[in-house]
Amino acid sequence: AQSVAQPEDQVNVAEGNPLTVKCTYSVSGNPYLFWYVQYPNRGLQFLLKYITGDNLVKGSYGFEAEFNKSQTSFHLKKPSALVSDSALYFCAVRLPLYAGNNRKLIWGLGTSLAVNP
Amino acid sequence: DVKVTQSSRYLVKRTGEKVFLECVQDMDHENMFWYRQDPGLGLRLIYFSYDVKMKEKGDIPEGYSVSREKKERFSLILESASTNQTSMYLCASSLGRRFRQNQPQHFGDGTRLSIL
């Protein structure tokens, strides 16, 4: 079955330290990969996406993500965490159209990031 | 910026009531989605629509229906509300098929629905 895993329910990091939020996927073909962030009592906001090309993708708020095809991973990273980065982070995968798939995203369950001052 | 507006932030209804959740987007997006979000379960897709009057079932459509009479508006209907439909409901929209489906979804701020 096609799936997305975020192996950590929670990540804690000190302000100023680098952060990583992990995402691995199990899908056939070459998927499109997305990261979203959800601040308390808000909807999700798009951070970045990987479609094709350079494996390192840069996005909003200083975040970046590295696509690794051999490890089927798409980890979210930031060199220096801020307290304001504390939020819920979701990884999502869309299957490519040539596979006959529809417009749905396959979502991870989310990782809660806490950045401590 | 894309604006997705959900009509209510908080809503309290009673068991058995028919409940309408409204969503409007202002960017002429073809695709619109309804999700529910529950702790430990992430986002689950209820229904989506890729054109006016078109709809497709998501992963958990039971107990829900949708309506899309105009491109900018997508309504979620709880036919007879039950307590297990207490949840956060999120609406989203995205550009459609001519963009090869690699466009992100844009979300509203959600409606927290309580069924008593």
Side-chain angles (χ1 to χ4, degrees):
Chain A
Q2 324 261 26
S3 64
V4 174
Q6 295 182 238
E8 300 156 319
D9 290 337
Q10 179 148 347
V11 170
N12 293 291
V13 64
E15 186 174 30
N17 283 1
L19 70 86
T20 298
V21 182
K22 295 180 181 177
C23 174
T24 59
Y25 61 92
S26 175
V27 302
S28 55
N30 297 313
Y32 304 143
L33 299 155
F34 299 82
W35 274 104
Y36 289 81
V37 60
Q38 185 180 31
Y39 298 103
N41 297 315
R42 301 296 301 275
L44 279 70
Q45 295 179 33
F46 167 70
L47 274 179
L48 50 80
K49 66 180 178 182
Y50 174 83
I51 305 301
T52 187
D54 193 349
N55 290 343
L56 186 64
V57 179
K58 294 189 184 297
S60 306
Y61 311 121
F63 283 93
E64 58 190 27
E66 186 168 13
F67 171 64
N68 187 318
K69 187 172 183 177
S70 63
Q71 297 189 1
T72 63
S73 67
F74 188 54
H75 299 333
L76 182 70
K77 301 184 180 189
K78 187 173 182 181
S80 179
L82 299 172
V83 172
S84 57
D85 293 329
S86 299
L88 193 55
Y89 290 81
F90 289 94
C91 179
V93 170
R94 174 173 286 131
L95 304 177
L97 275 182
Y98 66 76
N101 299 299
N102 59 29
R103 297 157 183 81
K104 294 193 303 183
L105 287 173
I106 303 172
W107 292 89
L109 293 183
T111 298
S112 179
L113 172 68
V115 181
N116 308 304
Chain B
D1 268 359
V2 177
K3 184 78 173 170
V4 179
T5 303
Q6 294 184 230
S7 53
S8 304
R9 290 299 303 275
Y10 301 93
L11 206 54
V12 179
K13 296 291 183 180
R14 298 212 170 270
T15 305
E17 281 191 68
K18 191 169 186 176
V19 181
F20 294 84
L21 302 183
E22 306 288 345
C23 175
V24 176
Q25 49 95 4
D26 66 356
M27 282 302 292
D28 202 35
H29 284 174
E30 290 85 356
N31 299 333
M32 295 190 76
F33 306 82
W34 274 107
Y35 294 91
R36 63 178 283 177
Q37 182 179 16
D38 300 286
L41 298 178
L43 272 72
R44 292 182 291 167
L45 182 65
I46 305 171
Y47 268 97
F48 65 102
S49 168
Y50 53 88
D51 204 348
V52 175
K53 297 191 185 297
M54 305 299 289
K55 62 183 180 183
E56 286 192 28
K57 292 180 179 179
D59 301 315
I60 52 164
E62 296 78 19
Y64 303 94
S65 62
V66 290
S67 172
R68 192 157 180 211
E69 296 296 319
K70 293 184 177 181
K71 191 174 185 180
E72 68 271 18
R73 186 179 296 270
F74 192 36
S75 303
L76 179 69
I77 304 153
L78 285 65
E79 298 291 343
S80 177
S82 63
T83 54
N84 63 12
Q85 292 178 309
T86 292
S87 186
M88 169 71 92
Y89 289 87
L90 293 168
C91 176
S93 71
S94 69
L95 287 166
R97 71 190 81 189
R98 65 184 183 275
F99 294 93
R100 298 173 57 81
Q101 302 303 320
N102 61 13
Q103 297 300 306
Q105 293 182 11
H106 299 266
F107 285 80
D109 280 338
T111 296
R112 191 166 292 281
L113 176 63
S114 297
I115 307 296
L116 305 179

Coordinates of all heavy atoms in Angstrom, one line a residue, chain A residues 17-99:
Chain A
N17 N 19.9 25.8 17.2 CA 20.4 24.6 16.8 C 19.7 24.2 15.4 O 18.6 24.6 15.2 CB 20.2 23.5 17.8 CG 21.2 23.6 18.9 OD1 22.0 24.5 19.0 ND2 21.1 22.6 19.9
P18 N 20.4 23.3 14.6 CA 19.8 22.8 13.4 C 18.6 21.9 13.8 O 18.7 21.2 14.8 CB 20.9 22.1 12.7 CG 21.9 21.8 13.7 CD 21.8 22.9 14.8
L19 N 17.6 21.8 12.9 CA 16.5 20.9 13.1 C 16.3 20.0 11.9 O 16.6 20.5 10.8 CB 15.2 21.7 13.5 CG 14.5 22.5 12.4 CD1 13.6 21.7 11.6 CD2 13.8 23.7 13.0
T20 N 15.8 18.8 12.2 CA 15.4 17.9 11.1 C 14.1 17.3 11.5 O 14.0 16.8 12.6 CB 16.5 16.8 10.9 OG1 17.7 17.4 10.5 CG2 16.0 15.8 9.8
V21 N 13.2 17.3 10.6 CA 11.9 16.6 10.7 C 11.9 15.5 9.6 O 11.9 15.9 8.4 CB 10.7 17.5 10.6 CG1 9.4 16.7 10.9 CG2 10.8 18.6 11.7
K22 N 11.7 14.3 10.0 CA 11.9 13.2 9.0 C 10.6 12.8 8.3 O 9.5 12.8 8.9 CB 12.5 12.0 9.7 CG 13.9 12.2 10.3 CD 14.4 11.0 11.0 CE 15.8 11.2 11.5 NZ 16.3 10.1 12.3
C23 N 10.8 12.3 7.1 CA 9.6 11.8 6.3 C 10.2 10.7 5.3 O 11.2 11.0 4.6 CB 9.0 12.9 5.5 SG 7.7 12.4 4.3
T24 N 9.5 9.6 5.3 CA 9.9 8.6 4.4 C 8.6 8.1 3.7 O 7.5 8.3 4.2 CB 10.5 7.3 5.0 OG1 9.6 6.8 6.0 CG2 11.8 7.7 5.6
Y25 N 8.7 7.6 2.5 CA 7.5 7.3 1.7 C 7.6 5.9 1.0 O 8.8 5.5 0.8 CB 7.2 8.4 0.7 CG 8.2 8.5 -0.4 CD1 8.2 7.8 -1.6 CD2 9.3 9.4 -0.1 CE1 9.2 8.0 -2.5 CE2 10.3 9.6 -1.1 CZ 10.2 8.9 -2.3 OH 11.2 9.0 -3.2
S26 N 6.5 5.3 0.8 CA 6.5 4.0 0.1 C 5.4 4.1 -1.0 O 4.2 3.9 -0.7 CB 6.2 2.9 1.1 OG 6.0 1.7 0.4
V27 N 5.9 4.6 -2.2 CA 4.9 4.7 -3.3 C 5.7 4.2 -4.6 O 6.9 4.2 -4.6 CB 4.5 6.1 -3.5 CG1 3.8 6.6 -2.3 CG2 5.6 7.0 -3.9
S28 N 4.9 3.8 -5.6 CA 5.5 3.4 -6.8 C 5.7 4.7 -7.7 O 5.0 5.7 -7.6 CB 4.6 2.4 -7.5 OG 3.3 3.0 -7.7
G29 N 6.7 4.6 -8.6 CA 7.0 5.7 -9.5 C 7.7 6.8 -8.9 O 8.3 6.7 -7.8
N30 N 7.6 8.0 -9.5 CA 8.3 9.2 -9.0 C 7.3 10.1 -8.5 O 6.6 10.8 -9.3 CB 9.1 9.8 -10.1 CG 10.2 8.9 -10.6 OD1 11.0 8.3 -9.8 ND2 10.3 8.7 -11.9
P31 N 7.1 10.2 -7.2 CA 6.0 11.1 -6.6 C 6.4 12.5 -6.5 O 7.6 12.9 -6.6 CB 5.8 10.5 -5.2 CG 7.2 10.0 -4.9 CD 7.8 9.5 -6.1
Y32 N 5.4 13.4 -6.3 CA 5.6 14.7 -6.0 C 5.6 14.8 -4.4 O 4.7 14.2 -3.8 CB 4.5 15.6 -6.6 CG 4.4 15.6 -8.1 CD1 3.2 15.6 -8.7 CD2 5.5 15.4 -8.9 CE1 3.0 15.6 -10.0 CE2 5.4 15.3 -10.3 CZ 4.1 15.4 -10.8 OH 4.0 15.3 -12.2
L33 N 6.5 15.6 -3.8 CA 6.6 15.6 -2.4 C 6.4 17.0 -1.8 O 6.9 17.9 -2.4 CB 8.0 15.0 -1.9 CG 8.3 13.6 -2.4 CD1 9.8 13.4 -2.5 CD2 7.7 12.6 -1.4
F34 N 5.7 17.1 -0.7 CA 5.3 18.4 -0.1 C 5.6 18.4 1.4 O 5.4 17.4 2.0 CB 3.8 18.7 -0.4 CG 3.4 18.7 -1.8 CD1 3.1 17.6 -2.5 CD2 3.3 19.9 -2.5 CE1 2.7 17.6 -3.8 CE2 2.9 20.0 -3.8 CZ 2.6 18.8 -4.5
W35 N 5.9 19.6 1.9 CA 5.9 19.8 3.3 C 4.9 21.0 3.6 O 4.9 22.0 2.9 CB 7.3 20.2 3.9 CG 8.1 19.0 4.2 CD1 9.1 18.5 3.5 CD2 8.0 18.2 5.4 NE1 9.7 17.4 4.2 CE2 9.0 17.2 5.3 CE3 7.1 18.2 6.5 CZ2 9.2 16.2 6.3 CZ3 7.3 17.3 7.5 CH2 8.3 16.3 7.4
Y36 N 4.1 20.8 4.7 CA 3.2 21.8 5.2 C 3.5 22.1 6.6 O 3.9 21.2 7.4 CB 1.8 21.4 5.0 CG 1.3 21.4 3.6 CD1 1.6 20.3 2.7 CD2 0.5 22.4 3.0 CE1 1.1 20.2 1.4 CE2 0.1 22.4 1.7 CZ 0.4 21.3 0.9 OH -0.1 21.2 -0.4
V37 N 3.1 23.3 7.1 CA 3.2 23.6 8.5 C 1.9 24.0 9.0 O 1.1 24.7 8.3 CB 4.3 24.6 8.8 CG1 4.0 25.9 8.1 CG2 4.5 24.9 10.3
Q38 N 1.6 23.7 10.3 CA 0.3 24.1 10.9 C 0.6 24.8 12.2 O 1.0 24.1 13.2 CB -0.7 23.0 11.1 CG -2.0 23.4 11.6 CD -3.0 22.2 11.7 OE1 -2.6 21.1 12.0 NE2 -4.3 22.5 11.6
Y39 N 0.3 26.0 12.4 CA 0.5 26.7 13.6 C -0.8 26.6 14.4 O -1.9 26.3 13.8 CB 0.8 28.2 13.4 CG 2.1 28.4 12.7 CD1 2.1 28.7 11.3 CD2 3.3 28.3 13.3 CE1 3.3 28.9 10.6 CE2 4.5 28.4 12.7 CZ 4.5 28.7 11.3 OH 5.7 28.9 10.7
P40 N -0.8 26.7 15.7 CA -2.0 26.5 16.6 C -3.2 27.2 16.1 O -3.1 28.4 15.8 CB -1.5 26.9 18.0 CG 0.0 26.8 17.9 CD 0.4 27.1 16.5
N41 N -4.3 26.5 16.0 CA -5.6 27.1 15.6 C -5.6 27.7 14.3 O -6.4 28.6 14.0 CB -6.0 28.1 16.7 CG -6.2 27.5 18.0 OD1 -6.8 26.4 18.2 ND2 -5.7 28.1 19.1
R42 N -4.8 27.2 13.4 CA -4.7 27.7 12.0 C -4.8 26.5 11.1 O -4.6 25.3 11.4 CB -3.4 28.4 11.7 CG -3.2 29.7 12.6 CD -4.3 30.7 12.4 NE -4.3 31.2 11.0 CZ -3.6 32.2 10.5 NH1 -2.7 32.7 11.3 NH2 -3.7 32.5 9.3
G43 N -5.1 26.8 9.8 CA -5.0 25.8 8.8 C -3.5 25.5 8.4 O -2.6 26.1 8.9
L44 N -3.3 24.6 7.4 CA -2.0 24.2 7.0 C -1.5 25.3 6.0 O -2.2 25.8 5.2 CB -2.0 22.8 6.3 CG -1.9 21.6 7.3 CD1 -3.3 21.5 8.0 CD2 -1.6 20.4 6.5
Q45 N -0.2 25.5 6.1 CA 0.5 26.4 5.1 C 1.5 25.6 4.4 O 2.3 24.9 4.9 CB 1.2 27.6 5.8 CG 0.2 28.5 6.6 CD 1.0 29.6 7.2 OE1 2.1 30.0 6.7 NE2 0.5 30.1 8.4
F46 N 1.6 25.8 3.1 CA 2.6 25.2 2.2 C 4.0 25.7 2.5 O 4.1 26.9 2.6 CB 2.2 25.4 0.7 CG 3.2 25.1 -0.3 CD1 3.6 23.8 -0.5 CD2 3.9 26.1 -1.0 CE1 4.6 23.5 -1.4 CE2 4.9 25.8 -1.9 CZ 5.2 24.5 -2.1
L47 N 5.0 24.8 2.6 CA 6.3 25.2 2.9 C 7.2 25.1 1.6 O 7.9 26.0 1.3 CB 6.9 24.4 4.0 CG 6.7 24.8 5.4 CD1 7.4 23.8 6.4 CD2 7.2 26.2 5.7
L48 N 7.2 23.9 1.0 CA 8.0 23.6 -0.1 C 7.6 22.3 -0.8 O 6.8 21.5 -0.2 CB 9.5 23.5 0.3 CG 9.9 22.6 1.5 CD1 9.9 21.2 1.1 CD2 11.2 23.1 2.1
K49 N 8.1 22.1 -2.0 CA 7.7 20.9 -2.7 C 9.0 20.4 -3.6 O 9.8 21.2 -3.9 CB 6.6 21.1 -3.6 CG 6.8 22.1 -4.8 CD 5.6 22.3 -5.7 CE 5.9 23.4 -6.8 NZ 4.7 23.6 -7.6
Y50 N 9.0 19.1 -3.8 CA 9.9 18.5 -4.8 C 9.1 17.9 -5.9 O 8.3 17.1 -5.7 CB 10.8 17.5 -4.1 CG 11.7 16.8 -5.1 CD1 12.9 17.4 -5.5 CD2 11.3 15.6 -5.7 CE1 13.7 16.8 -6.4 CE2 12.1 15.0 -6.6 CZ 13.3 15.6 -7.0 OH 14.1 15.0 -7.9
I51 N 9.5 18.3 -7.1 CA 8.9 17.8 -8.3 C 9.9 17.0 -9.1 O 9.7 15.8 -9.4 CB 8.2 18.8 -9.2 CG1 7.2 19.7 -8.4 CG2 7.5 18.2 -10.4 CD1 6.1 18.9 -7.7
T52 N 11.0 17.6 -9.4 CA 12.1 17.0 -10.2 C 13.3 17.9 -10.0 O 13.2 19.1 -9.6 CB 11.7 16.8 -11.6 OG1 12.7 16.0 -12.3 CG2 11.5 18.1 -12.4
G53 N 14.5 17.4 -10.5 CA 15.6 18.3 -10.5 C 16.5 18.2 -9.3 O 16.7 17.1 -8.7
D54 N 17.0 19.3 -8.8 CA 17.9 19.4 -7.7 C 17.3 18.7 -6.5 O 16.2 19.0 -6.1 CB 18.3 20.8 -7.4 CG 19.5 21.0 -6.5 OD1 19.9 20.0 -5.9 OD2 20.0 22.1 -6.3
N55 N 18.1 17.9 -5.8 CA 17.6 17.1 -4.6 C 17.4 18.0 -3.4 O 16.6 17.6 -2.5 CB 18.5 16.0 -4.3 CG 18.5 14.9 -5.3 OD1 17.5 14.8 -6.1 ND2 19.5 14.0 -5.3
L56 N 18.0 19.2 -3.4 CA 17.8 20.1 -2.2 C 16.9 21.2 -2.7 O 17.1 21.9 -3.6 CB 19.2 20.7 -1.8 CG 19.1 21.5 -0.5 CD1 18.7 20.7 0.7 CD2 20.5 22.2 -0.3
V57 N 15.7 21.3 -1.9 CA 14.7 22.2 -2.3 C 14.6 23.3 -1.2 O 14.6 22.9 0.0 CB 13.3 21.5 -2.4 CG1 12.2 22.5 -2.7 CG2 13.4 20.4 -3.5
K58 N 14.6 24.5 -1.5 CA 14.4 25.6 -0.6 C 13.0 26.1 -0.5 O 12.3 26.2 -1.6 CB 15.4 26.7 -0.9 CG 16.9 26.3 -0.7 CD 17.8 27.5 -0.8 CE 19.3 27.0 -0.8 NZ 19.6 26.4 0.5
G59 N 12.5 26.5 0.7 CA 11.2 26.9 0.8 C 11.0 28.1 1.7 O 12.0 28.9 1.8
S60 N 9.8 28.3 2.2 CA 9.5 29.4 3.0 C 10.2 29.4 4.4 O 10.5 28.3 4.9 CB 8.0 29.5 3.2 OG 7.3 29.5 2.0
Y61 N 10.4 30.6 5.0 CA 10.8 30.7 6.4 C 12.2 30.1 6.7 O 12.5 29.7 7.8 CB 9.8 30.1 7.4 CG 8.4 30.6 7.1 CD1 7.4 29.7 6.9 CD2 8.0 31.9 7.1 CE1 6.1 30.1 6.6 CE2 6.7 32.3 6.9 CZ 5.8 31.4 6.6 OH 4.5 31.8 6.4
G62 N 13.0 29.9 5.6 CA 14.4 29.4 5.8 C 14.4 27.9 5.8 O 15.5 27.3 6.1
F63 N 13.3 27.2 5.6 CA 13.3 25.8 5.5 C 13.8 25.2 4.2 O 13.7 25.9 3.2 CB 11.9 25.2 5.8 CG 11.5 25.3 7.3 CD1 10.8 26.4 7.7 CD2 11.8 24.2 8.1 CE1 10.4 26.4 9.1 CE2 11.4 24.3 9.5 CZ 10.7 25.4 9.9
E64 N 14.4 24.0 4.2 CA 14.8 23.3 3.1 C 14.5 21.8 3.3 O 14.3 21.4 4.4 CB 16.2 23.6 2.7 CG 17.2 23.2 3.8 CD 18.6 23.7 3.5 OE1 18.8 24.7 2.8 OE2 19.5 23.1 4.1
A65 N 14.5 21.1 2.2 CA 14.3 19.6 2.3 C 15.1 18.9 1.3 O 15.4 19.4 0.2 CB 12.8 19.3 2.1
E66 N 15.6 17.7 1.7 CA 16.5 17.0 0.8 C 15.8 15.7 0.4 O 15.4 14.9 1.2 CB 17.8 16.6 1.5 CG 18.8 15.9 0.7 CD 20.1 15.8 1.3 OE1 20.2 16.1 2.5 OE2 21.1 15.5 0.6
F67 N 15.6 15.6 -0.9 CA 15.0 14.4 -1.5 C 16.1 13.3 -1.7 O 17.2 13.6 -2.3 CB 14.4 14.7 -2.9 CG 14.0 13.5 -3.7 CD1 12.9 12.7 -3.2 CD2 14.5 13.2 -4.9 CE1 12.5 11.6 -3.9 CE2 14.1 12.1 -5.6 CZ 13.1 11.3 -5.1
N68 N 15.9 12.1 -1.2 CA 16.8 11.0 -1.4 C 16.1 9.8 -2.0 O 15.3 9.2 -1.3 CB 17.4 10.7 0.0 CG 18.6 9.6 -0.2 OD1 18.4 8.7 -0.9 ND2 19.6 9.8 0.6
K69 N 16.3 9.6 -3.2 CA 15.5 8.6 -3.9 C 15.8 7.2 -3.4 O 14.9 6.3 -3.2 CB 15.7 8.7 -5.4 CG 14.8 7.7 -6.2 CD 14.9 8.0 -7.7 CE 13.9 7.1 -8.5 NZ 14.0 7.4 -9.9
S70 N 17.1 6.9 -3.2 CA 17.5 5.6 -2.8 C 16.9 5.2 -1.4 O 16.6 4.1 -1.1 CB 19.0 5.4 -2.8 OG 19.6 6.3 -1.9
Q71 N 16.8 6.2 -0.5 CA 16.3 6.0 0.8 C 14.8 6.3 0.9 O 14.2 6.2 2.0 CB 17.1 6.8 1.8 CG 18.5 6.4 1.9 CD 19.3 7.0 3.1 OE1 18.7 7.7 3.9 NE2 20.5 6.7 3.2
T72 N 14.2 6.7 -0.2 CA 12.8 7.2 -0.3 C 12.5 8.1 0.9 O 11.5 7.9 1.7 CB 11.8 6.0 -0.4 OG1 11.9 5.2 0.8 CG2 12.1 5.2 -1.6
S73 N 13.3 9.1 1.0 CA 13.1 10.1 2.1 C 13.0 11.5 1.6 O 13.5 11.8 0.5 CB 14.2 9.9 3.2 OG 15.4 10.4 2.6
F74 N 12.4 12.3 2.4 CA 12.3 13.8 2.1 C 12.3 14.5 3.4 O 11.3 15.0 3.9 CB 11.0 14.0 1.3 CG 10.8 15.4 0.7 CD1 11.8 15.9 -0.1 CD2 9.7 16.1 0.9 CE1 11.7 17.2 -0.6 CE2 9.5 17.4 0.4 CZ 10.5 17.9 -0.4
H75 N 13.4 14.6 4.0 CA 13.5 15.2 5.4 C 13.5 16.7 5.3 O 14.2 17.3 4.4 CB 14.8 14.7 6.1 CG 14.8 13.2 6.3 ND1 13.7 12.5 6.4 CD2 15.9 12.4 6.4 CE1 14.1 11.2 6.6 NE2 15.4 11.1 6.6
L76 N 12.8 17.3 6.2 CA 12.8 18.8 6.3 C 13.9 19.3 7.2 O 14.1 18.7 8.3 CB 11.4 19.2 6.9 CG 11.1 20.7 7.0 CD1 11.0 21.4 5.6 CD2 9.9 20.9 7.8
K77 N 14.6 20.4 6.9 CA 15.7 20.9 7.7 C 15.7 22.4 7.7 O 15.1 23.1 6.9 CB 17.0 20.4 7.0 CG 17.1 18.9 6.9 CD 18.5 18.5 6.3 CE 18.5 16.9 6.2 NZ 19.9 16.5 5.9
K78 N 16.3 22.8 8.8 CA 16.6 24.3 8.9 C 17.9 24.4 9.7 O 18.0 23.8 10.8 CB 15.4 25.0 9.7 CG 15.5 26.5 9.7 CD 14.3 27.1 10.3 CE 14.4 28.6 10.2 NZ 13.2 29.3 10.8
P79 N 18.8 25.3 9.3 CA 20.1 25.4 9.9 C 20.0 25.9 11.3 O 20.9 25.5 12.2 CB 20.9 26.3 9.0 CG 20.1 26.3 7.7 CD 18.7 26.1 8.0
S80 N 19.1 26.8 11.6 CA 19.1 27.4 12.9 C 17.6 27.6 13.3 O 16.9 28.5 12.8 CB 19.8 28.8 12.9 OG 19.7 29.4 14.1
A81 N 17.2 26.9 14.3 CA 15.7 26.9 14.7 C 15.4 28.2 15.5 O 16.2 28.7 16.3 CB 15.4 25.7 15.5
L82 N 14.1 28.6 15.3 CA 13.6 29.7 16.1 C 12.4 29.2 16.9 O 11.7 28.2 16.5 CB 13.0 30.8 15.1 CG 14.0 31.4 14.2 CD1 13.3 32.3 13.2 CD2 15.1 32.2 14.9
V83 N 12.2 29.9 18.0 CA 11.0 29.5 18.9 C 9.7 29.5 18.1 O 8.8 28.7 18.2 CB 11.0 30.4 20.1 CG1 9.7 30.1 20.9 CG2 12.2 30.2 21.0
S84 N 9.7 30.5 17.2 CA 8.5 30.7 16.3 C 8.3 29.5 15.3 O 7.2 29.5 14.7 CB 8.5 32.0 15.6 OG 9.7 32.1 14.8
D85 N 9.2 28.7 15.2 CA 9.1 27.5 14.3 C 8.3 26.4 15.0 O 7.9 25.4 14.3 CB 10.5 26.9 13.9 CG 11.2 27.9 13.0 OD1 10.6 28.6 12.2 OD2 12.5 27.8 13.1
S86 N 8.0 26.5 16.2 CA 7.2 25.5 17.0 C 5.9 25.4 16.3 O 5.1 26.3 16.3 CB 7.1 25.9 18.4 OG 8.4 26.0 19.1
A87 N 5.5 24.2 15.9 CA 4.3 24.0 15.1 C 4.2 22.5 14.8 O 5.1 21.7 15.2 CB 4.3 24.8 13.8
L88 N 3.1 22.1 14.1 CA 2.9 20.8 13.6 C 3.3 20.7 12.1 O 2.9 21.6 11.3 CB 1.5 20.4 13.8 CG 1.0 19.0 13.6 CD1 1.8 18.0 14.6 CD2 -0.5 18.9 13.9
Y89 N 4.1 19.8 11.7 CA 4.6 19.7 10.4 C 4.1 18.4 9.7 O 4.2 17.3 10.3 CB 6.2 19.7 10.4 CG 6.7 21.1 10.7 CD1 6.8 21.4 12.1 CD2 7.1 22.0 9.8 CE1 7.2 22.7 12.4 CE2 7.5 23.3 10.1 CZ 7.6 23.6 11.5 OH 8.0 24.9 11.8
F90 N 3.6 18.6 8.5 CA 3.1 17.4 7.7 C 3.9 17.2 6.4 O 4.1 18.2 5.7 CB 1.6 17.7 7.4 CG 0.7 17.6 8.6 CD1 0.3 18.7 9.2 CD2 0.2 16.4 9.0 CE1 -0.5 18.7 10.3 CE2 -0.7 16.3 10.0 CZ -1.1 17.5 10.7
C91 N 4.2 16.0 6.2 CA 4.7 15.6 4.9 C 3.6 15.0 4.0 O 2.7 14.3 4.6 CB 5.8 14.6 5.1 SG 6.6 13.9 3.7
A92 N 3.6 15.2 2.7 CA 2.6 14.7 1.9 C 3.1 14.3 0.5 O 4.1 14.9 0.1 CB 1.4 15.7 1.7
V93 N 2.5 13.3 -0.1 CA 3.0 12.8 -1.4 C 1.8 12.7 -2.3 O 0.7 12.3 -2.0 CB 3.5 11.3 -1.2 CG1 3.8 10.7 -2.5 CG2 4.8 11.4 -0.4
R94 N 2.1 13.2 -3.6 CA 1.0 13.0 -4.6 C 1.6 12.1 -5.7 O 2.7 12.3 -6.1 CB 0.6 14.3 -5.2 CG -0.3 14.2 -6.4 CD -0.8 15.5 -6.9 NE -1.8 16.0 -6.0 CZ -1.8 17.3 -5.6 NH1 -0.8 18.1 -6.0 NH2 -2.7 17.7 -4.8
L95 N 0.8 11.1 -6.0 CA 1.3 10.1 -7.0 C 1.3 10.8 -8.4 O 0.4 11.6 -8.7 CB 0.4 8.9 -7.0 CG 0.3 8.2 -5.7 CD1 -0.6 7.0 -5.7 CD2 1.7 7.8 -5.2
P96 N 2.2 10.5 -9.3 CA 2.2 11.1 -10.6 C 1.1 10.6 -11.4 O 0.6 9.5 -11.3 CB 3.6 10.6 -11.2 CG 3.9 9.4 -10.4 CD 3.3 9.6 -9.1
L97 N 0.6 11.5 -12.3 CA -0.6 11.2 -13.1 C -0.5 10.0 -14.0 O -1.5 9.3 -14.3 CB -1.0 12.5 -13.9 CG -1.9 13.5 -13.2 CD1 -2.2 14.6 -14.1 CD2 -3.1 12.9 -12.6
Y98 N 0.7 9.8 -14.5 CA 0.8 8.7 -15.5 C 0.5 7.4 -14.9 O 0.3 6.4 -15.6 CB 2.2 8.7 -16.2 CG 3.4 8.4 -15.2 CD1 3.6 7.1 -14.8 CD2 4.2 9.4 -14.8 CE1 4.7 6.8 -14.0 CE2 5.3 9.1 -13.9 CZ 5.5 7.8 -13.5 OH 6.5 7.5 -12.7
A99 N 0.5 7.3 -13.6 CA 0.2 6.0 -12.9 C -1.3 5.8 -12.8 O -1.7 4.9 -12.2 CB 0.9 6.0 -11.5

